């Protein structure tokens, strides 16, 4: 396939080159060291963080994106863009990144200073004892799993069913450019509901069972670990594992159960925001923003909504939460007091300042688990707004601007991947910091988002298909025989190449490889099954990731949607081949075992339908929309 030419991707190179040339230079241009026009405080999530880790995680993509945005249309003028003036992540002082941002504002070249710092609350308190973490975690895990089950069932079942039901209606949402839906689409959507409803319903039931099993295992394992630690022979082996577990989730238990230590967490965030406010005080057009992840979002929300003094200018202008565990963690509990309801939206709207709140949550993030609202019904209603058709404004519950994003399409990685999602997370935060218009023109933004979501979903489908194919090869006898023949053929080819190379250099070698480790009697050994399965997963994952990076680069940095589309087509071809191979092996094994009639035929059809649905899902699934702040009668909604 002929690839469309794209402009070179240069923001990272140009920014780093200018930084190396001008770092700590031109002191007359910069404000005093403790002053800045724009100040951003980043707050980390659960778990212990090294100094500068969160700062670098967010400062690098944000500065690269800001540089990319302000240099548009001024690529030939070296004065436009970002120049780093100070970077400190070691030593005794505060971790900080300072930069100059030169941009075009209302037709005039303007230079402003940017200051980014981090609030590291993870070292501000003593961790809970192992026994306390085990006792608390055994009960808390059910709350987390329940939220996870609800959120994933909405994503797997309600989202596609809502889309298909919506497509059966003649009228379209106001933002759709069509005046009505074609009759063919309405009929096809109605027919698709027949297999989709039972298929997605079965997946939801399987997920629910799996999560119940996980909960039971956690309940049994946590107390059992405490007993095993008392045995000297096992203590040395298990202690490092337990320390990692306690370090990762112990912060959550401290926040919920230990009021004094929780106050120490909040004090760190409070102090860092105070420092940022002093930095922008007296500056022209000051911007004071806070960006918080996971548990850090819950800690910061408590500070901003309940404790911080907003009476003194300059005020905090924006609060961005990513993967926020605000609703999962709630408030700190005092054992002598009755549990009070947690209403973060009401507290936010009660502030004396118009603080903008943007909440970013990944589709498969198990900890944020969707939108933020004061009640479960409100959260579900806000979730429906992101996927369903627009409702009357009076039916919308209050809440922050909600940004559902696609990052990795995997529950195990979505929560930690927000800083890598440039198009849907980093870009809007960067625009808000420097005052660039909110987003691309609507048509272009929709096009970029559609391609981004297609690529992320395609990667997720390919990865899942690779795992299913690996399991099929490892467990199905028919697939095992084919894999054994493939391994023998590869072994023979490698042996021939080695022998040929040895002949060229005149040194005789034995070309036979230790085949018996992988194959015995023409069948794969258990180690052979494991090796082949691991190789399949590794290759599929590598290819899917490489293709995803190609699309990501074209959309985020090269401004080349056409090139991204061509890579998406390549993804589609490979995804089709992978799904076809997987479905063919499963169907062939069913035919070999049970023949072609009865329930076997139903299962074979179900496999074919599932593979077809998996192939087309990246193309037809609805892209969830961003919904604006909803403040009720206080102000007009805004993003």
């Amino acid at each position: 396939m002929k690839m469309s030419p794209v402009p070179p991707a240069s923001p990272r190179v140009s920014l780093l080159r200018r930084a190396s040339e001008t770092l700590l230079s031109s002191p007359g241009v910069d404000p005093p060291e403790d002053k800045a026009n724009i100040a951003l405080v980043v707050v980390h999530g659960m778990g212990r963080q090294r100094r500068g880790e969160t700062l670098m995680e967010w400062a690098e993509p944000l500065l690269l994106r800001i540089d990319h945005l302000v240099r548009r249309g001024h690529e030939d003028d070296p004065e436009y863009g970002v120049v780093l003036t100070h970077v400190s992540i070691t030593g005794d002082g505060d971790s900080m990144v300072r930069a100059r941002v030169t941009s075009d504002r209302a037709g005039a070249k303007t230079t402003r200073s940017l200051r980014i710092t981090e609030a590291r609350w993870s070292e501000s308190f003593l961790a809970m004892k192992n026994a306390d973490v085990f006792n608390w975690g055994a009960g808390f895990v059910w709350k987390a799993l329940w939220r996870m089950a609800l959120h994933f069932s909405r994503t797997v079942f309600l989202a596609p069913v809502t889309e298909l039901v919506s497509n059966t209606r003649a009228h379209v949402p106001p933002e759709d450019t069509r005046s009505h839906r074609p009759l063919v689409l309405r009929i096809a959507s109605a027919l698709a509901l027949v297999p989709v409803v039972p298929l997605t319903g079965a997946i939801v039931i399987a997920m629910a069972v799996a999560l119940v099993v996980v909960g039971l295992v956690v309940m049994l394992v946590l107390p059992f670990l405490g007993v095993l630690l008392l045995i000297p022979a096992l203590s040395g082996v298990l202690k490092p594992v337990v320390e990692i577990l306690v370090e990762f989730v112990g912060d959550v238990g401290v926040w919920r159960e230990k009021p004094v230590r929780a106050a120490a967490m909040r004090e760190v965030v409070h102090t860092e925001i105070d420092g940022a406010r002093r930095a922008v005080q007296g500056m022209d057009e000051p911007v004071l923003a806070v960006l918080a992840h996971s548990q850090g979002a819950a800690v910061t929300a408590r500070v901003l909504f309940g404790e911080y003094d907003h009476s003194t200018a300059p005020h905090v202008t924006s609060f961005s939460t990513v993967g926020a565990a605000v609703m999962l963690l709630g408030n700190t509990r005092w054992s002598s007091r009755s549990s009070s309801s947690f209403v973060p939206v009401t507290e936010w709207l009660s502030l004396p300042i118009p603080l903008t709140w943007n909440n970013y949550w990944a589709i498969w993030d198990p900890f944020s688990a969707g939108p933020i609202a004061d009640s479960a019904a409100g959260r579900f209603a806000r979730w429906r707004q992101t996927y369903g058709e627009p409702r009357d404004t009076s039916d919308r519950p209050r809440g922050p601007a909600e940004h559902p994003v696609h990052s990795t399409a995997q529950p195990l990685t979505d929560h930690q991947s927000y800083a890598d999602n440039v198009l849907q997370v980093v870009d809007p935060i960067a625009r808000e910091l420097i005052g660039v218009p909110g987003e691309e023109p609507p048509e272009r933004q929709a096009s970029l988002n559609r391609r981004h979501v297609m690529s992320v979903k395609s990667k997720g489908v390919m990865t899942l298909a690779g795992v299913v194919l690996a399991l099929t090869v490892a467990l199905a006898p028919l697939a095992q025989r084919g894999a054994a023949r493939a391994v023998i053929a590869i072994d023979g080819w490698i042996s021939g190449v080695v022998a040929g190379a040895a002949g060229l250099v005149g040194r005789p070698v034995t070309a036979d490889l230790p085949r018996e480790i992988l194959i015995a009697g023409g069948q794969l050994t258990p180690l052979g099954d494991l090796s082949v399965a691991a190789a399949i997963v590794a290759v599929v994952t590598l290819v899917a990731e490489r293709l995803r990076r190609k699309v990501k680069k074209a959309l985020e940095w090269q401004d080349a949607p056409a090139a991204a589309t061509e890579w998406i087509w390549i993804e589609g071809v490979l995804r089709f081949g992978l799904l076809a191979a997987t479905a063919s092996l499963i169907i062939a094994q069913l035919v070999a075992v049970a023949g072609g009639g009865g329930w076997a035929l139903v299962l074979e059809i179900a496999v074919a339908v599932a593979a077809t649905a998996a192939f087309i899902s990246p193309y037809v699934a609805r892209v969830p929309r961003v919904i604006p702040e909803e403040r009720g009668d206080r102000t007009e909604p805004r993003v």
Side-chain angles (χ1 to χ4, degrees):
M1 177 182 294
K2 182 180 179 181
M3 302 298 294
S4 298
V6 295
S10 61
R12 183 182 299 271
V13 176
S14 62
L15 173 58
L16 295 180
R17 183 181 66 247
R18 292 199 306 279
S20 64
E21 293 172 352
T22 60
L23 185 62
L24 298 179
S25 67
S26 304
V29 177
D30 296 322
E33 208 171 298
D34 60 341
K35 290 294 184 178
N37 301 99
I38 306 167
L40 171 66
V41 177
V42 293
V43 187
H44 68 79
M46 66 180 69
R48 190 168 299 279
Q49 308 287 319
R50 296 191 303 273
R51 180 181 177 185
E53 183 177 356
T54 305
L55 179 64
M56 291 297 103
E57 179 186 13
W58 284 101
E60 288 181 333
L62 282 171
L63 290 175
L64 287 169
R65 193 60 181 178
I66 290 172
D67 186 72
H68 179 74
L69 291 172
V70 301
R71 284 176 56 79
R72 280 183 178 176
H74 304 282
E75 291 82 1
D76 297 329
D77 190 339
E79 293 186 9
Y80 282 89
V82 174
V83 174
L84 296 172
T85 58
H86 176 79
V87 177
S88 174
I89 58 173
T90 60
D92 297 329
D94 293 335
S95 297
M96 182 184 300
V97 173
R98 297 177 62 88
R100 288 200 309 268
V101 181
T102 302
S103 61
D104 188 333
R105 306 190 73 199
K109 183 185 295 185
T110 305
T111 298
R112 290 177 296 165
S113 56
L114 170 63
R115 173 188 191 268
I116 307 177
T117 55
E118 66 176 355
R120 292 176 62 240
W121 50 262
S122 64
E123 295 182 359
S124 62
F125 62 93
L126 293 175
M128 293 172 67
K129 296 179 180 179
N130 293 350
D132 293 335
V133 174
F134 295 158
N135 292 333
W136 165 81
F140 183 78
V141 68
W142 289 110
K143 177 181 178 180
L145 291 176
W146 172 246
R147 281 172 45 84
M148 194 184 306
L150 285 179
H151 181 58
F152 288 170
S153 65
R154 292 168 185 166
T155 301
V156 172
F157 180 78
L158 283 182
V161 170
T162 298
E163 171 73 0
L164 291 173
V165 170
S166 175
N167 286 341
T168 61
R169 298 171 181 159
H171 299 289
V172 298
E175 73 270 13
D176 201 316
T177 56
R178 302 167 298 177
S179 59
H180 65 280
R181 291 188 176 91
L183 180 61
V184 173
L185 175 62
R186 293 163 57 193
I187 295 175
S189 298
L191 293 176
L193 282 170
V194 177
V196 166
V197 170
L199 180 62
T200 55
I203 295 174
V204 167
I205 293 173
M207 284 195 309
V209 172
L211 291 176
V212 169
V213 171
V214 169
L216 293 174
V217 169
V218 170
M219 286 189 65
L220 295 174
V221 167
L222 287 181
F224 192 53
L225 280 176
V227 175
L228 293 180
L229 287 174
L230 300 177
I231 304 174
L234 298 177
S235 177
V237 177
L238 293 177
K239 191 175 181 179
V241 178
V242 172
E243 287 178 349
I244 293 174
L245 176 65
V246 170
E247 185 175 283
F248 183 71
V249 301
D251 295 352
V252 179
V254 168
W255 172 253
R256 291 282 296 171
E257 306 293 333
K258 306 294 183 181
V260 176
R261 305 182 203 187
M265 296 181 188
R266 299 195 300 273
E267 183 63 28
V268 172
V269 177
H270 194 293
T271 301
E272 202 59 55
I273 296 175
D274 264 345
R277 180 166 70 175
R278 288 192 298 271
V280 300
Q281 196 163 25
M283 302 298 290
D284 294 334
E285 301 181 30
V287 175
L288 176 52
V290 182
L291 167 61
H293 174 243
S294 188
Q295 183 179 348
V299 176
T300 309
R302 182 72 266 145
V303 171
L304 291 177
F305 302 162
E307 300 175 350
Y308 198 75
D309 181 8
H310 295 282
S311 62
T312 304
H315 304 298
V316 180
T317 53
S318 70
F319 179 35
S320 297
T321 51
V322 293
V326 173
M327 302 310 304
L328 174 63
L329 302 185
N331 274 329
T332 304
R333 296 189 301 181
W334 292 73
S335 37
S336 61
R337 302 177 185 177
S338 59
S339 178
S340 59
S341 59
F342 181 53
V343 285
V345 173
T346 298
E347 293 175 354
W348 163 59
L349 293 175
S350 300
L351 294 176
I353 60 169
L355 174 63
T356 298
W357 185 5
N358 288 283
N359 182 46
Y360 300 83
W361 48 274
I363 300 302
W364 290 99
D365 185 344
F367 297 105
S368 60
I372 292 175
D374 284 343
S375 66
R379 291 192 291 275
F380 179 55
R382 301 215 91 204
W383 180 89
R384 288 190 63 184
Q385 289 176 34
T386 65
Y387 277 99
E389 295 185 4
R391 300 293 193 268
D392 184 82
T393 304
S394 61
D395 296 333
R396 297 181 178 180
R398 299 179 302 173
E402 297 289 353
H403 300 253
V405 302
H406 287 74
S407 294
T408 66
Q410 297 177 26
L412 297 179
T413 55
D414 252 7
H415 187 64
Q416 299 295 335
S417 301
Y418 288 95
D420 194 47
N421 188 338
V422 173
L423 199 65
Q424 295 181 316
V425 179
V426 175
D427 182 85
I429 294 175
R431 289 173 182 272
E432 186 174 37
L433 283 175
I434 62 175
V436 173
E439 57 183 19
E440 303 286 348
E443 298 80 8
R444 179 176 173 80
Q445 186 67 29
S447 174
L448 292 174
N449 275 333
R450 168 59 68 181
R451 287 169 171 82
H452 170 83
V453 171
M454 279 185 188
S455 179
V456 173
K457 284 180 172 288
S458 179
K459 176 191 171 185
V461 170
M462 289 182 68
T463 303
L464 181 60
V467 172
V468 175
L469 178 60
L471 291 174
T472 304
V473 170
L475 300 177
L478 189 64
Q480 285 179 328
R481 289 195 293 271
R485 288 193 293 270
V487 171
I488 292 173
I490 293 173
D491 174 54
W493 178 80
I494 294 175
S495 299
V497 171
V498 172
L504 289 176
V505 298
R507 297 176 61 184
V509 296
T510 302
D512 293 333
L513 300 179
R515 181 183 303 170
E516 63 276 3
I517 296 178
L518 301 178
I519 299 175
Q523 296 291 326
L524 290 174
T525 64
L527 180 59
D529 287 333
L530 182 61
S531 300
V532 172
I536 291 173
V537 173
V539 170
V540 171
T541 302
L542 177 63
V543 172
E545 178 61 26
R546 294 286 292 179
L547 290 172
R548 167 69 192 130
R549 289 291 170 182
K550 292 290 187 181
V551 176
K552 180 180 172 69
K553 182 178 179 181
L555 291 177
E556 294 174 353
W557 302 114
Q558 295 176 332
D559 295 326
T565 300
E566 292 172 344
W567 285 113
I568 290 171
W569 276 107
I570 294 174
E571 284 180 330
V573 172
L574 295 179
R575 186 172 70 253
F576 175 81
L578 181 62
L579 289 168
T582 304
S584 298
L585 283 176
I586 296 175
I587 291 173
Q589 185 63 48
L590 288 172
V591 171
V593 172
W599 282 104
L601 179 60
V602 174
L603 291 175
E604 292 157 14
I605 294 174
V607 170
V609 170
T612 303
F615 172 71
I616 66 174
S617 62
Y619 301 128
V620 301
R622 171 173 289 183
V623 177
R625 65 171 61 86
V626 175
I627 56 176
E629 282 184 358
E630 189 62 53
R631 294 172 171 259
D633 296 331
R634 292 176 60 89
T635 64
E636 291 297 321
R638 60 178 179 173
V639 175

